[in-house]
Amino acid sequence: MSIHISAKKGEIAKVVLQPGDPLRAKYIAENFLENPKLVSQTRGILFYTGTYKGKEITVGASGMGFPSIGIYSFELFTEYEVETIIRIGTCGGYSSEVALFDLLNVENAASESTYAKYAWEFEQEILPSQGNIHNIINETAEELGLKIKQSNIHSSDIFYRKDPSVPAIAKKYNCPAVEMEAFGLFANALHLGKNAATILTVSDIIPTKEFISANERETALKPMIELALEAAWKVS
């Protein structure tokens, strides 16, 4: 048991999938895992452990933003001896360079955030995915016949902003889309020598205001979920 996760030692698998939304973690556990067991629900952040094709995998929410995923991923890595975290989530496209439903395998996360600097004294404003899980995801996507783009991503502290233009850091590092967690996850994994990746589904295009409807989301996110599970199975 850690400060923010109430699971007992041994109830969290070595590989964890982290969607942001607790209800998405519940959906994945109940629809894709065998014999899922709810192992933590502190603060409403749900963690389930079950098996996928005979191998143990945990699915647990990260919440939103660097402070939240920073806490949960750190405790998973240090208190539960997790070796690999795959973040699975959605992102907003900055331009027509990406389209709704596109799958992105994040190579690098760029951010203006001070998270990495003040947590671990990393001065970089762009951090790569950690370990070999990024390559495993690419290989797995090819095996499944899924089209996936290797991409940089803008990881932002901000969801709403006064200036609607594409932020300078996203232009600097050629980030076609934005989310709010990958940079924090990669920073923790780099500091601790762990494996971390991020797979994203493009859920909206910011300038055109296109978006995946609530009714479409279940079907839209299924390829990302299955890809993450198959990649997790290879390393679990």
Side-chain angles (χ1 to χ4, degrees), residues 126-144:
I126 186 166
L127 295 173
S129 60
Q130 297 296 305
N132 66 345
I133 185 62
H134 177 86
N135 291 333
I136 290 173
I137 290 166
N138 283 331
E139 294 164 4
T140 304
E142 186 174 355
E143 292 168 5
L144 295 175

Side-chain angles (χ1 to χ4, degrees), residues 104-109 129 134 151-153 182 186 198-200:
L104 308 181
N105 185 12
V106 175
E107 281 191 284
N108 303 282
S129 60
H134 177 86
S151 177
N152 289 351
I153 198 77
F186 293 173
T198 293
I199 310 173
L200 301 169

Side-chain angles (χ1 to χ4, degrees), residues 97-116:
E97 188 177 335
V98 292
L100 293 181
F101 307 104
D102 276 357
L103 274 178
L104 308 181
N105 185 12
V106 175
E107 281 191 284
N108 303 282
S111 186
E112 314 95 322
S113 171
T114 58
Y115 178 86

